[in-house]
Amino acid sequence: MKFLEKDLEQIIFESGRDSLEEKGLPMNGKLFRQLKIGNYGIADLVEFTRPCYDGEHREVFVPGVITVYELKKEHIGIASFLQALNYVKGIQMYLHSKKKEKQYMINLVLIGRTLDTSGSFCFITDMLGIETFCHEPYTNGTISFMTYNYTIDGLEFKSESGYRLKNEGF
């Protein structure tokens, strides 16, 4: 049986939150599958949590979180990242049109079987992990990479970060 990207998407979408967390992929918001983001494209999975408001003044005191999950059957590389940036920009523009851009932070998670470590791409999460996709005052949207392994025991997810050159030259 050939494992396809749509299979990965379906398993994640249909799995229980506790099961996903046990397998290394924590999720706690409302999950949407194949979400059309205007003319910016169709995102594989998008997770939403609502902001919390101060009851008296109706001001946001905990921002909502929007997480875009870009799934790849095999390799995560710069093309995956650039594709996902379209979705992030579309969400930013939608929030701006509704005057809600300050109420949410946007995270980006790229998931695939392997991560491109042949060049500088794998350093992105270390360099752009904070103050990436959001407007003031909630500027802590992040970029993260995850790899998956699909075995007889099901999916397992692993966070990927901290890459460096094998020979740093100093």
Side-chain angles (χ1 to χ4, degrees), residues 74-102:
E74 293 298 330
H75 202 59
I76 306 166
I78 192 70
S80 310
F81 174 67
L82 295 175
Q83 178 183 353
L85 282 181
N86 280 335
Y87 311 142
V88 170
K89 184 63 176 179
I91 291 168
Q92 285 178 328
M93 298 310 296
Y94 176 80
L95 292 173
H96 179 73
S97 74
K98 300 294 183 186
K99 299 186 179 359
K100 293 186 176 191
E101 66 268 22
K102 294 182 180 183

Side-chain angles (χ1 to χ4, degrees), residues 17-36:
R17 301 306 165 99
D18 292 340
S19 176
L20 286 172
E21 189 159 359
E22 284 175 17
K23 299 291 185 171
L25 184 62
M27 291 183 161
N28 58 15
K30 185 172 182 176
L31 195 59
F32 294 87
R33 182 178 184 189
Q34 292 294 302
L35 183 65
K36 183 169 179 11

Side-chain angles (χ1 to χ4, degrees), residues 5 9 13 31-48 66-72 80 83-91 106-110:
E5 184 177 315
E9 182 182 309
F13 186 75
L31 195 59
F32 294 87
R33 182 178 184 189
Q34 292 294 302
L35 183 65
K36 183 169 179 11
I37 305 169
N39 290 331
Y40 289 90
I42 300 172
D44 294 330
L45 296 170
V46 178
E47 178 186 17
F48 290 90
I66 300 172
T67 304
V68 175
Y69 294 90
E70 178 58 27
L71 309 176
K72 292 299 175 194
S80 310
Q83 178 183 353
L85 282 181
N86 280 335
Y87 311 142
V88 170
K89 184 63 176 179
I91 291 168
I106 304 171
N107 299 321
L108 176 58
V109 180
L110 302 173

Side-chain angles (χ1 to χ4, degrees), residues 48-53 57-66 91-92 95-96 98-106 134-140:
F48 290 90
T49 59
R50 294 186 180 275
C52 294
Y53 297 93
H57 303 292
R58 291 292 298 162
E59 292 182 17
V60 173
F61 69 90
V62 176
V65 179
I66 300 172
I91 291 168
Q92 285 178 328
L95 292 173
H96 179 73
K98 300 294 183 186
K99 299 186 179 359
K100 293 186 176 191
E101 66 268 22
K102 294 182 180 183
Q103 297 177 17
Y104 290 89
M105 63 179 151
I106 304 171
C134 303
H135 303 283
E136 293 294 332
Y138 305 115
T139 56
N140 56 348

